[in-house]
Amino acid sequence: MWLARRHPKLLAVTRASESGLRTAPRYPKRVTVLNAGTRTTLASLPLLAAGCDPVIDLQGTFFPAWLLCMIAGVVLTVALRPVFVRLGLEPYLGPLPLIYTSLAVLLTLGTWLVFFRT
C-alpha cells in the first residue's frame, strides 16, 4: 500500500478494485530507463565491433574466427560429456543445461585465446 501512496494513479486503481467495480484496471504508463538515442547507440555497438574480428580463409571461403572457435567449443563439450558420464560425475554437476552451456562458453573462449591471442 505504501507504493500506492507514492503513485496517485496506482492508488486510484487500488481503490477501484476494492470497491468491487467490474471495469478493467488502468495501470500507469511504464517508465523507460533509456531514451531512444541511448538505445540506438547501445544497439549499434555490436555492429561496430563485428568488423574488428579476424577472418580465416578456409578452402576459398572466409569465416569469422569466432565462429570456428564456437564450433570447436561445442564439439569439445560434446566430446567431454561421455567422459563425465563414464567417471560418474554428471549426477553431481548440478543443472546440466547451465553446466554444459558454461562449459561450451569456457572452451570457446579458451580456443580463442590459444589460437588468436595477440
Side-chain angles (χ1 to χ4, degrees):
M1 199 60 162
W2 63 272
L3 183 64
R5 279 182 261 150
R6 293 184 64 195
H7 299 285
K9 289 182 181 178
L10 191 59
L11 182 62
V13 170
T14 310
R15 286 185 185 155
S17 64
E18 289 173 356
S19 65
L21 297 177
R22 296 194 183 263
T23 60
R26 299 187 185 270
Y27 296 102
K29 183 179 176 183
R30 291 186 179 190
V31 178
T32 57
V33 177
L34 302 174
N35 60 14
T38 307
R39 283 184 287 189
T40 304
T41 304
L42 289 176
S44 65
L45 284 178
L47 295 175
L48 294 173
C52 302
D53 61 344
V55 177
I56 299 170
D57 183 14
L58 186 65
Q59 294 184 358
T61 59
F62 295 102
F63 284 101
W66 62 265
L67 184 64
L68 294 176
C69 290
M70 186 173 64
I71 291 169
V74 170
V75 167
L76 288 172
T77 302
V78 170
L80 282 176
R81 184 182 181 273
V83 174
F84 291 149
V85 171
R86 183 83 161 166
L87 293 174
L89 294 175
E90 192 173 34
Y92 302 106
L93 289 179
L96 294 179
L98 178 66
I99 297 300
Y100 285 121
T101 303
S102 301
L103 183 62
V105 169
L106 177 73
L107 292 173
T108 298
L109 296 176
T111 305
W112 177 270
L113 286 176
V114 167
F115 292 110
F116 299 104
R117 182 179 50 180
T118 55

PDB file of all heavy atoms in Angstrom, residues 26-62:
ATOM      1  N   ARG A  26      -6.745   0.414 -14.852  1.00  0.00           N
ATOM      2  CA  ARG A  26      -5.849   1.183 -15.716  1.00  0.00           C
ATOM      3  C   ARG A  26      -4.537   1.372 -14.965  1.00  0.00           C
ATOM      4  O   ARG A  26      -4.508   1.981 -13.909  1.00  0.00           O
ATOM      5  CB  ARG A  26      -6.455   2.526 -16.076  1.00  0.00           C
ATOM      6  CG  ARG A  26      -7.743   2.397 -16.832  1.00  0.00           C
ATOM      7  CD  ARG A  26      -8.198   3.767 -17.296  1.00  0.00           C
ATOM      8  NE  ARG A  26      -9.487   3.678 -17.914  1.00  0.00           N
ATOM      9  CZ  ARG A  26      -9.680   3.461 -19.207  1.00  0.00           C
ATOM     10  NH1 ARG A  26      -8.635   3.293 -19.985  1.00  0.00           N
ATOM     11  NH2 ARG A  26     -10.882   3.405 -19.699  1.00  0.00           N
ATOM     12  N   TYR A  27      -3.502   0.826 -15.559  1.00  0.00           N
ATOM     13  CA  TYR A  27      -2.194   0.892 -14.922  1.00  0.00           C
ATOM     14  C   TYR A  27      -1.434   2.105 -15.437  1.00  0.00           C
ATOM     15  O   TYR A  27      -1.612   2.531 -16.577  1.00  0.00           O
ATOM     16  CB  TYR A  27      -1.397  -0.385 -15.200  1.00  0.00           C
ATOM     17  CG  TYR A  27      -2.052  -1.594 -14.603  1.00  0.00           C
ATOM     18  CD1 TYR A  27      -2.773  -2.472 -15.379  1.00  0.00           C
ATOM     19  CD2 TYR A  27      -1.976  -1.822 -13.239  1.00  0.00           C
ATOM     20  CE1 TYR A  27      -3.394  -3.562 -14.827  1.00  0.00           C
ATOM     21  CE2 TYR A  27      -2.591  -2.920 -12.671  1.00  0.00           C
ATOM     22  CZ  TYR A  27      -3.293  -3.783 -13.468  1.00  0.00           C
ATOM     23  OH  TYR A  27      -3.909  -4.867 -12.914  1.00  0.00           O
ATOM     24  N   PRO A  28      -0.571   2.660 -14.609  1.00  0.00           N
ATOM     25  CA  PRO A  28       0.204   3.817 -15.060  1.00  0.00           C
ATOM     26  C   PRO A  28       1.175   3.424 -16.163  1.00  0.00           C
ATOM     27  O   PRO A  28       1.553   2.265 -16.309  1.00  0.00           O
ATOM     28  CB  PRO A  28       0.945   4.276 -13.809  1.00  0.00           C
ATOM     29  CG  PRO A  28       0.925   3.129 -12.889  1.00  0.00           C
ATOM     30  CD  PRO A  28      -0.275   2.307 -13.233  1.00  0.00           C
ATOM     31  N   LYS A  29       1.553   4.420 -16.966  1.00  0.00           N
ATOM     32  CA  LYS A  29       2.485   4.183 -18.067  1.00  0.00           C
ATOM     33  C   LYS A  29       3.832   3.728 -17.515  1.00  0.00           C
ATOM     34  O   LYS A  29       4.291   4.229 -16.501  1.00  0.00           O
ATOM     35  CB  LYS A  29       2.661   5.467 -18.865  1.00  0.00           C
ATOM     36  CG  LYS A  29       3.536   5.310 -20.066  1.00  0.00           C
ATOM     37  CD  LYS A  29       3.654   6.614 -20.816  1.00  0.00           C
ATOM     38  CE  LYS A  29       4.620   6.446 -21.970  1.00  0.00           C
ATOM     39  NZ  LYS A  29       4.824   7.693 -22.674  1.00  0.00           N
ATOM     40  N   ARG A  30       4.465   2.766 -18.208  1.00  0.00           N
ATOM     41  CA  ARG A  30       5.766   2.285 -17.773  1.00  0.00           C
ATOM     42  C   ARG A  30       6.819   3.369 -17.957  1.00  0.00           C
ATOM     43  O   ARG A  30       6.811   4.105 -18.922  1.00  0.00           O
ATOM     44  CB  ARG A  30       6.191   1.068 -18.571  1.00  0.00           C
ATOM     45  CG  ARG A  30       5.378  -0.129 -18.269  1.00  0.00           C
ATOM     46  CD  ARG A  30       5.945  -1.305 -18.975  1.00  0.00           C
ATOM     47  NE  ARG A  30       5.165  -2.491 -18.661  1.00  0.00           N
ATOM     48  CZ  ARG A  30       5.519  -3.696 -18.968  1.00  0.00           C
ATOM     49  NH1 ARG A  30       6.642  -3.911 -19.593  1.00  0.00           N
ATOM     50  NH2 ARG A  30       4.762  -4.709 -18.657  1.00  0.00           N
ATOM     51  N   VAL A  31       7.725   3.404 -17.021  1.00  0.00           N
ATOM     52  CA  VAL A  31       8.811   4.365 -17.084  1.00  0.00           C
ATOM     53  C   VAL A  31       9.961   3.733 -17.851  1.00  0.00           C
ATOM     54  O   VAL A  31      10.407   2.635 -17.532  1.00  0.00           O
ATOM     55  CB  VAL A  31       9.270   4.764 -15.658  1.00  0.00           C
ATOM     56  CG1 VAL A  31      10.423   5.727 -15.720  1.00  0.00           C
ATOM     57  CG2 VAL A  31       8.106   5.352 -14.896  1.00  0.00           C
ATOM     58  N   THR A  32      10.440   4.407 -18.897  1.00  0.00           N
ATOM     59  CA  THR A  32      11.569   3.881 -19.653  1.00  0.00           C
ATOM     60  C   THR A  32      12.863   4.389 -19.039  1.00  0.00           C
ATOM     61  O   THR A  32      12.975   5.558 -18.677  1.00  0.00           O
ATOM     62  CB  THR A  32      11.501   4.308 -21.127  1.00  0.00           C
ATOM     63  OG1 THR A  32      11.464   5.725 -21.189  1.00  0.00           O
ATOM     64  CG2 THR A  32      10.266   3.739 -21.795  1.00  0.00           C
ATOM     65  N   VAL A  33      13.823   3.511 -18.921  1.00  0.00           N
ATOM     66  CA  VAL A  33      15.089   3.870 -18.308  1.00  0.00           C
ATOM     67  C   VAL A  33      15.989   4.569 -19.310  1.00  0.00           C
ATOM     68  O   VAL A  33      16.652   5.542 -18.998  1.00  0.00           O
ATOM     69  CB  VAL A  33      15.783   2.599 -17.749  1.00  0.00           C
ATOM     70  CG1 VAL A  33      17.124   2.934 -17.164  1.00  0.00           C
ATOM     71  CG2 VAL A  33      14.897   1.943 -16.717  1.00  0.00           C
ATOM     72  N   LEU A  34      16.021   4.078 -20.538  1.00  0.00           N
ATOM     73  CA  LEU A  34      16.885   4.642 -21.566  1.00  0.00           C
ATOM     74  C   LEU A  34      16.042   5.345 -22.616  1.00  0.00           C
ATOM     75  O   LEU A  34      14.999   4.852 -23.027  1.00  0.00           O
ATOM     76  CB  LEU A  34      17.702   3.530 -22.234  1.00  0.00           C
ATOM     77  CG  LEU A  34      18.579   2.688 -21.317  1.00  0.00           C
ATOM     78  CD1 LEU A  34      19.203   1.550 -22.106  1.00  0.00           C
ATOM     79  CD2 LEU A  34      19.658   3.541 -20.699  1.00  0.00           C
ATOM     80  N   ASN A  35      16.524   6.491 -23.070  1.00  0.00           N
ATOM     81  CA  ASN A  35      15.816   7.168 -24.139  1.00  0.00           C
ATOM     82  C   ASN A  35      16.171   6.530 -25.477  1.00  0.00           C
ATOM     83  O   ASN A  35      17.026   5.646 -25.563  1.00  0.00           O
ATOM     84  CB  ASN A  35      16.111   8.667 -24.132  1.00  0.00           C
ATOM     85  CG  ASN A  35      17.581   8.964 -24.325  1.00  0.00           C
ATOM     86  OD1 ASN A  35      18.354   8.097 -24.717  1.00  0.00           O
ATOM     87  ND2 ASN A  35      17.957  10.200 -24.050  1.00  0.00           N
ATOM     88  N   ALA A  36      15.539   6.976 -26.552  1.00  0.00           N
ATOM     89  CA  ALA A  36      15.698   6.334 -27.860  1.00  0.00           C
ATOM     90  C   ALA A  36      17.121   6.468 -28.387  1.00  0.00           C
ATOM     91  O   ALA A  36      17.660   5.540 -28.996  1.00  0.00           O
ATOM     92  CB  ALA A  36      14.711   6.935 -28.844  1.00  0.00           C
ATOM     93  N   GLY A  37      17.758   7.589 -28.165  1.00  0.00           N
ATOM     94  CA  GLY A  37      19.125   7.781 -28.647  1.00  0.00           C
ATOM     95  C   GLY A  37      20.115   6.840 -27.976  1.00  0.00           C
ATOM     96  O   GLY A  37      21.000   6.280 -28.628  1.00  0.00           O
ATOM     97  N   THR A  38      19.957   6.646 -26.680  1.00  0.00           N
ATOM     98  CA  THR A  38      20.847   5.742 -25.951  1.00  0.00           C
ATOM     99  C   THR A  38      20.629   4.309 -26.385  1.00  0.00           C
ATOM    100  O   THR A  38      21.581   3.551 -26.569  1.00  0.00           O
ATOM    101  CB  THR A  38      20.605   5.876 -24.440  1.00  0.00           C
ATOM    102  OG1 THR A  38      20.698   7.252 -24.070  1.00  0.00           O
ATOM    103  CG2 THR A  38      21.602   5.068 -23.650  1.00  0.00           C
ATOM    104  N   ARG A  39      19.372   3.915 -26.594  1.00  0.00           N
ATOM    105  CA  ARG A  39      19.095   2.559 -27.058  1.00  0.00           C
ATOM    106  C   ARG A  39      19.667   2.320 -28.446  1.00  0.00           C
ATOM    107  O   ARG A  39      20.201   1.250 -28.726  1.00  0.00           O
ATOM    108  CB  ARG A  39      17.593   2.294 -27.062  1.00  0.00           C
ATOM    109  CG  ARG A  39      17.045   2.022 -25.675  1.00  0.00           C
ATOM    110  CD  ARG A  39      15.606   1.688 -25.760  1.00  0.00           C
ATOM    111  NE  ARG A  39      14.925   2.967 -26.055  1.00  0.00           N
ATOM    112  CZ  ARG A  39      13.635   3.152 -26.038  1.00  0.00           C
ATOM    113  NH1 ARG A  39      12.838   2.156 -25.800  1.00  0.00           N
ATOM    114  NH2 ARG A  39      13.108   4.318 -26.286  1.00  0.00           N
ATOM    115  N   THR A  40      19.582   3.303 -29.329  1.00  0.00           N
ATOM    116  CA  THR A  40      20.134   3.162 -30.677  1.00  0.00           C
ATOM    117  C   THR A  40      21.642   3.030 -30.622  1.00  0.00           C
ATOM    118  O   THR A  40      22.231   2.193 -31.319  1.00  0.00           O
ATOM    119  CB  THR A  40      19.740   4.371 -31.536  1.00  0.00           C
ATOM    120  OG1 THR A  40      18.317   4.491 -31.523  1.00  0.00           O
ATOM    121  CG2 THR A  40      20.225   4.205 -32.953  1.00  0.00           C
ATOM    122  N   THR A  41      22.288   3.814 -29.771  1.00  0.00           N
ATOM    123  CA  THR A  41      23.742   3.744 -29.638  1.00  0.00           C
ATOM    124  C   THR A  41      24.168   2.395 -29.090  1.00  0.00           C
ATOM    125  O   THR A  41      25.110   1.779 -29.605  1.00  0.00           O
ATOM    126  CB  THR A  41      24.241   4.869 -28.708  1.00  0.00           C
ATOM    127  OG1 THR A  41      23.802   6.124 -29.224  1.00  0.00           O
ATOM    128  CG2 THR A  41      25.743   4.860 -28.605  1.00  0.00           C
ATOM    129  N   LEU A  42      23.497   1.905 -28.065  1.00  0.00           N
ATOM    130  CA  LEU A  42      23.838   0.604 -27.490  1.00  0.00           C
ATOM    131  C   LEU A  42      23.575  -0.536 -28.470  1.00  0.00           C
ATOM    132  O   LEU A  42      24.313  -1.518 -28.491  1.00  0.00           O
ATOM    133  CB  LEU A  42      23.069   0.377 -26.196  1.00  0.00           C
ATOM    134  CG  LEU A  42      23.514   1.227 -25.007  1.00  0.00           C
ATOM    135  CD1 LEU A  42      22.607   0.978 -23.811  1.00  0.00           C
ATOM    136  CD2 LEU A  42      24.955   0.959 -24.655  1.00  0.00           C
ATOM    137  N   ALA A  43      22.547  -0.399 -29.292  1.00  0.00           N
ATOM    138  CA  ALA A  43      22.249  -1.452 -30.260  1.00  0.00           C
ATOM    139  C   ALA A  43      23.252  -1.473 -31.404  1.00  0.00           C
ATOM    140  O   ALA A  43      23.509  -2.513 -31.993  1.00  0.00           O
ATOM    141  CB  ALA A  43      20.838  -1.270 -30.809  1.00  0.00           C
ATOM    142  N   SER A  44      23.851  -0.329 -31.726  1.00  0.00           N
ATOM    143  CA  SER A  44      24.798  -0.276 -32.846  1.00  0.00           C
ATOM    144  C   SER A  44      26.219  -0.647 -32.435  1.00  0.00           C
ATOM    145  O   SER A  44      27.053  -0.913 -33.303  1.00  0.00           O
ATOM    146  CB  SER A  44      24.789   1.114 -33.480  1.00  0.00           C
ATOM    147  OG  SER A  44      25.272   2.068 -32.559  1.00  0.00           O
ATOM    148  N   LEU A  45      26.541  -0.694 -31.157  1.00  0.00           N
ATOM    149  CA  LEU A  45      27.898  -1.039 -30.722  1.00  0.00           C
ATOM    150  C   LEU A  45      28.343  -2.429 -31.173  1.00  0.00           C
ATOM    151  O   LEU A  45      29.472  -2.577 -31.640  1.00  0.00           O
ATOM    152  CB  LEU A  45      28.021  -0.885 -29.215  1.00  0.00           C
ATOM    153  CG  LEU A  45      28.139   0.550 -28.701  1.00  0.00           C
ATOM    154  CD1 LEU A  45      28.195   0.565 -27.188  1.00  0.00           C
ATOM    155  CD2 LEU A  45      29.335   1.253 -29.283  1.00  0.00           C
ATOM    156  N   PRO A  46      27.508  -3.473 -31.058  1.00  0.00           N
ATOM    157  CA  PRO A  46      27.966  -4.772 -31.562  1.00  0.00           C
ATOM    158  C   PRO A  46      28.239  -4.770 -33.062  1.00  0.00           C
ATOM    159  O   PRO A  46      29.124  -5.462 -33.539  1.00  0.00           O
ATOM    160  CB  PRO A  46      26.817  -5.720 -31.231  1.00  0.00           C
ATOM    161  CG  PRO A  46      26.088  -5.073 -30.124  1.00  0.00           C
ATOM    162  CD  PRO A  46      26.250  -3.602 -30.333  1.00  0.00           C
ATOM    163  N   LEU A  47      27.496  -3.967 -33.820  1.00  0.00           N
ATOM    164  CA  LEU A  47      27.745  -3.900 -35.258  1.00  0.00           C
ATOM    165  C   LEU A  47      29.093  -3.255 -35.558  1.00  0.00           C
ATOM    166  O   LEU A  47      29.788  -3.645 -36.501  1.00  0.00           O
ATOM    167  CB  LEU A  47      26.624  -3.121 -35.946  1.00  0.00           C
ATOM    168  CG  LEU A  47      25.245  -3.764 -35.876  1.00  0.00           C
ATOM    169  CD1 LEU A  47      24.196  -2.847 -36.486  1.00  0.00           C
ATOM    170  CD2 LEU A  47      25.247  -5.106 -36.562  1.00  0.00           C
ATOM    171  N   LEU A  48      29.475  -2.268 -34.770  1.00  0.00           N
ATOM    172  CA  LEU A  48      30.773  -1.635 -34.963  1.00  0.00           C
ATOM    173  C   LEU A  48      31.907  -2.570 -34.574  1.00  0.00           C
ATOM    174  O   LEU A  48      32.961  -2.592 -35.211  1.00  0.00           O
ATOM    175  CB  LEU A  48      30.851  -0.342 -34.151  1.00  0.00           C
ATOM    176  CG  LEU A  48      29.900   0.773 -34.579  1.00  0.00           C
ATOM    177  CD1 LEU A  48      29.961   1.923 -33.591  1.00  0.00           C
ATOM    178  CD2 LEU A  48      30.218   1.237 -35.971  1.00  0.00           C
ATOM    179  N   ALA A  49      31.711  -3.354 -33.531  1.00  0.00           N
ATOM    180  CA  ALA A  49      32.754  -4.272 -33.072  1.00  0.00           C
ATOM    181  C   ALA A  49      32.869  -5.495 -33.965  1.00  0.00           C
ATOM    182  O   ALA A  49      33.890  -6.167 -33.970  1.00  0.00           O
ATOM    183  CB  ALA A  49      32.478  -4.691 -31.634  1.00  0.00           C
ATOM    184  N   ALA A  50      31.834  -5.806 -34.747  1.00  0.00           N
ATOM    185  CA  ALA A  50      31.853  -7.009 -35.577  1.00  0.00           C
ATOM    186  C   ALA A  50      32.880  -6.907 -36.699  1.00  0.00           C
ATOM    187  O   ALA A  50      33.362  -7.915 -37.185  1.00  0.00           O
ATOM    188  CB  ALA A  50      30.477  -7.274 -36.161  1.00  0.00           C
ATOM    189  N   GLY A  51      33.234  -5.714 -37.117  1.00  0.00           N
ATOM    190  CA  GLY A  51      34.210  -5.560 -38.182  1.00  0.00           C
ATOM    191  C   GLY A  51      35.642  -5.721 -37.715  1.00  0.00           C
ATOM    192  O   GLY A  51      36.564  -5.691 -38.535  1.00  0.00           O
ATOM    193  N   CYS A  52      35.876  -5.922 -36.434  1.00  0.00           N
ATOM    194  CA  CYS A  52      37.228  -5.990 -35.887  1.00  0.00           C
ATOM    195  C   CYS A  52      37.726  -7.403 -35.692  1.00  0.00           C
ATOM    196  O   CYS A  52      38.837  -7.598 -35.240  1.00  0.00           O
ATOM    197  CB  CYS A  52      37.277  -5.257 -34.543  1.00  0.00           C
ATOM    198  SG  CYS A  52      36.776  -3.547 -34.662  1.00  0.00           S
ATOM    199  N   ASP A  53      36.938  -8.408 -36.006  1.00  0.00           N
ATOM    200  CA  ASP A  53      37.366  -9.771 -35.732  1.00  0.00           C
ATOM    201  C   ASP A  53      38.238 -10.312 -36.872  1.00  0.00           C
ATOM    202  O   ASP A  53      38.103  -9.898 -38.012  1.00  0.00           O
ATOM    203  CB  ASP A  53      36.164 -10.680 -35.502  1.00  0.00           C
ATOM    204  CG  ASP A  53      35.256 -10.752 -36.713  1.00  0.00           C
ATOM    205  OD1 ASP A  53      35.375  -9.892 -37.589  1.00  0.00           O
ATOM    206  OD2 ASP A  53      34.427 -11.674 -36.764  1.00  0.00           O
ATOM    207  N   PRO A  54      39.140 -11.233 -36.557  1.00  0.00           N
ATOM    208  CA  PRO A  54      39.942 -11.832 -37.613  1.00  0.00           C
ATOM    209  C   PRO A  54      39.094 -12.743 -38.497  1.00  0.00           C
ATOM    210  O   PRO A  54      38.117 -13.340 -38.050  1.00  0.00           O
ATOM    211  CB  PRO A  54      40.990 -12.647 -36.870  1.00  0.00           C
ATOM    212  CG  PRO A  54      40.667 -12.581 -35.444  1.00  0.00           C
ATOM    213  CD  PRO A  54      39.536 -11.650 -35.242  1.00  0.00           C
ATOM    214  N   VAL A  55      39.495 -12.838 -39.756  1.00  0.00           N
ATOM    215  CA  VAL A  55      38.796 -13.669 -40.715  1.00  0.00           C
ATOM    216  C   VAL A  55      39.763 -14.735 -41.205  1.00  0.00           C
ATOM    217  O   VAL A  55      40.927 -14.461 -41.480  1.00  0.00           O
ATOM    218  CB  VAL A  55      38.276 -12.820 -41.890  1.00  0.00           C
ATOM    219  CG1 VAL A  55      37.609 -13.689 -42.929  1.00  0.00           C
ATOM    220  CG2 VAL A  55      37.314 -11.771 -41.397  1.00  0.00           C
ATOM    221  N   ILE A  56      39.271 -15.972 -41.312  1.00  0.00           N
ATOM    222  CA  ILE A  56      40.109 -17.099 -41.707  1.00  0.00           C
ATOM    223  C   ILE A  56      39.710 -17.540 -43.101  1.00  0.00           C
ATOM    224  O   ILE A  56      38.519 -17.703 -43.395  1.00  0.00           O
ATOM    225  CB  ILE A  56      39.934 -18.270 -40.717  1.00  0.00           C
ATOM    226  CG1 ILE A  56      40.359 -17.842 -39.330  1.00  0.00           C
ATOM    227  CG2 ILE A  56      40.711 -19.477 -41.175  1.00  0.00           C
ATOM    228  CD1 ILE A  56      40.010 -18.837 -38.276  1.00  0.00           C
ATOM    229  N   ASP A  57      40.697 -17.752 -43.970  1.00  0.00           N
ATOM    230  CA  ASP A  57      40.444 -18.274 -45.302  1.00  0.00           C
ATOM    231  C   ASP A  57      40.458 -19.796 -45.216  1.00  0.00           C
ATOM    232  O   ASP A  57      41.480 -20.417 -44.938  1.00  0.00           O
ATOM    233  CB  ASP A  57      41.522 -17.786 -46.264  1.00  0.00           C
ATOM    234  CG  ASP A  57      41.266 -18.248 -47.680  1.00  0.00           C
ATOM    235  OD1 ASP A  57      40.149 -18.701 -47.964  1.00  0.00           O
ATOM    236  OD2 ASP A  57      42.204 -18.158 -48.499  1.00  0.00           O
ATOM    237  N   LEU A  58      39.290 -20.401 -45.424  1.00  0.00           N
ATOM    238  CA  LEU A  58      39.162 -21.846 -45.312  1.00  0.00           C
ATOM    239  C   LEU A  58      38.650 -22.389 -46.640  1.00  0.00           C
ATOM    240  O   LEU A  58      37.477 -22.282 -46.950  1.00  0.00           O
ATOM    241  CB  LEU A  58      38.198 -22.188 -44.169  1.00  0.00           C
ATOM    242  CG  LEU A  58      38.039 -23.644 -43.814  1.00  0.00           C
ATOM    243  CD1 LEU A  58      39.351 -24.205 -43.273  1.00  0.00           C
ATOM    244  CD2 LEU A  58      36.955 -23.800 -42.778  1.00  0.00           C
ATOM    245  N   GLN A  59      39.549 -22.946 -47.438  1.00  0.00           N
ATOM    246  CA  GLN A  59      39.267 -23.502 -48.758  1.00  0.00           C
ATOM    247  C   GLN A  59      38.532 -22.500 -49.646  1.00  0.00           C
ATOM    248  O   GLN A  59      37.537 -22.812 -50.298  1.00  0.00           O
ATOM    249  CB  GLN A  59      38.469 -24.793 -48.639  1.00  0.00           C
ATOM    250  CG  GLN A  59      39.232 -25.909 -47.986  1.00  0.00           C
ATOM    251  CD  GLN A  59      38.462 -27.212 -47.966  1.00  0.00           C
ATOM    252  OE1 GLN A  59      37.320 -27.277 -48.425  1.00  0.00           O
ATOM    253  NE2 GLN A  59      39.086 -28.248 -47.453  1.00  0.00           N
ATOM    254  N   GLY A  60      39.019 -21.287 -49.694  1.00  0.00           N
ATOM    255  CA  GLY A  60      38.476 -20.270 -50.583  1.00  0.00           C
ATOM    256  C   GLY A  60      37.319 -19.474 -50.018  1.00  0.00           C
ATOM    257  O   GLY A  60      36.859 -18.527 -50.641  1.00  0.00           O
ATOM    258  N   THR A  61      36.789 -19.830 -48.850  1.00  0.00           N
ATOM    259  CA  THR A  61      35.713 -19.053 -48.241  1.00  0.00           C
ATOM    260  C   THR A  61      36.239 -18.403 -46.969  1.00  0.00           C
ATOM    261  O   THR A  61      37.165 -18.890 -46.336  1.00  0.00           O
ATOM    262  CB  THR A  61      34.511 -19.948 -47.880  1.00  0.00           C
ATOM    263  OG1 THR A  61      34.943 -20.955 -46.977  1.00  0.00           O
ATOM    264  CG2 THR A  61      33.919 -20.589 -49.108  1.00  0.00           C
ATOM    265  N   PHE A  62      35.675 -17.298 -46.619  1.00  0.00           N
ATOM    266  CA  PHE A  62      36.134 -16.551 -45.453  1.00  0.00           C
ATOM    267  C   PHE A  62      35.143 -16.736 -44.309  1.00  0.00           C
ATOM    268  O   PHE A  62      33.964 -16.462 -44.440  1.00  0.00           O
ATOM    269  CB  PHE A  62      36.279 -15.069 -45.793  1.00  0.00           C
ATOM    270  CG  PHE A  62      37.348 -14.815 -46.801  1.00  0.00           C
ATOM    271  CD1 PHE A  62      37.036 -14.566 -48.122  1.00  0.00           C
ATOM    272  CD2 PHE A  62      38.676 -14.838 -46.433  1.00  0.00           C
ATOM    273  CE1 PHE A  62      38.028 -14.337 -49.053  1.00  0.00           C
ATOM    274  CE2 PHE A  62      39.682 -14.614 -47.349  1.00  0.00           C
ATOM    275  CZ  PHE A  62      39.353 -14.365 -48.664  1.00  0.00           C
TER     276      PHE A  62
END
